[in-house]
Amino acid sequence: MGNPMKKLFVAGITAVAFCGAPVLAADMAVKAPPPPAPLSSWTGCYVGGNIGGGWGQKSLIDPPTGLLDNNQNPAGVVGGGQIGCDYQFAGSWVIGIQGMFDGSGIRNGAVTEAPNFPGFSDSSSIPWLATLTGRLGYTVTPSVLLYAKGGAAWIRDENTDFSPPNGSVFNGSANVTRNGWTAGGGIEWKFAPNWSAFFEYDYMGFGTNTTTYTQPGGGTFPIFIKENTQIAIIGVNFRFGGY
């Protein structure tokens, strides 16, 4: 009698094992895989900072004679901030708008003497510059963006003119804000979900304008100034809600 009971017990254990196996397999089959990591996107707004160098060319022309009064090649450090928004579309294309404002140490290194007017000299500096541009870029990889930009540019010009006999007598000054155009481009790398770094070059053209100098006694005189400025900067952006 013991032997049949033993056989019945073994048969019951075997049946439970066979019944439980499909249930375990079903549980394993419905276990969901982990969600895929989101693809990198450039859509969103950002704010950041930059630093670099600037240089340019200024030609001062005497209006009555049309002769070159002065030729300068100012240079110096620039640095400031930028803010903007981007939108990624059609897969790899990115369009955006950006505003940038930089303080500037761009100035001619020394008072420059006028070649056609011995004894006359002029010094100048650019305390700040600003741009408002559109951007169009293409993602060569999901995290690397090549872009071009263009739009409007402004600079603050501070000029001081000296007169004979030895450049020590103050003659006149002109502090003006000039507007022009800018074009440039760069490369930007998203190295973390909300952070990107970039390198950029920009050319700013301001054409030829009549600048009115004011003398200490209240008199004025005009000078034609032809000017362009270039900058090369590196920077970092914090991107809100990016991934």
Side-chain angles (χ1 to χ4, degrees), residues 46-52 78-83 100-102 195-198 233-238:
Y46 60 88
V47 62
N50 69 77
I51 191 169
V78 298
Q82 64 280 339
I83 186 171
M100 184 175 71
F101 183 92
D102 278 12
W195 292 93
S196 63
F198 67 90
I233 56 175
I234 58 174
V236 176
N237 289 322
F238 177 80

Side-chain angles (χ1 to χ4, degrees), residues 34-159:
L39 295 176
S40 178
S41 173
W42 292 85
T43 298
C45 296
Y46 60 88
V47 62
N50 69 77
I51 191 169
W55 64 98
Q57 184 178 36
K58 292 181 70 173
S59 298
L60 284 69
I61 301 169
D62 179 59
T65 64
L67 296 175
L68 179 68
D69 180 34
N70 203 300
N71 200 24
Q72 303 175 5
N73 297 102
V77 176
V78 298
Q82 64 280 339
I83 186 171
C85 292
D86 289 324
Y87 176 72
Q88 188 165 349
F89 68 99
S92 298
W93 291 94
V94 177
I95 192 170
I97 187 170
Q98 182 189 85
M100 184 175 71
F101 183 92
D102 278 12
S104 165
I106 300 175
R107 64 186 69 245
N108 59 316
V111 174
T112 309
E113 185 173 339
N116 293 303
F117 301 93
F120 281 89
S121 57
D122 194 277
S123 66
S124 66
S125 63
I126 300 173
W128 59 262
L129 54 89
T131 61
L132 179 63
T133 56
R135 298 204 315 169
L136 179 63
Y138 184 83
T139 55
V140 293
T141 74
S143 60
V144 176
L145 175 70
L146 290 176
Y147 64 88
K149 60 185 290 190
W154 298 264
I155 59 169
R156 181 66 174 176
D157 249 346
E158 296 185 353
N159 307 279

Side-chain angles (χ1 to χ4, degrees), residues 144-189:
V144 176
L145 175 70
L146 290 176
Y147 64 88
K149 60 185 290 190
W154 298 264
I155 59 169
R156 181 66 174 176
D157 249 346
E158 296 185 353
N159 307 279
T160 302
D161 199 65
F162 296 88
S163 64
N166 56 13
S168 62
V169 180
F170 182 80
N171 191 55
S173 65
N175 299 331
V176 296
T177 299
R178 304 187 63 183
N179 63 283
W181 59 272
T182 181
I187 182 170
E188 190 166 359
W189 170 48

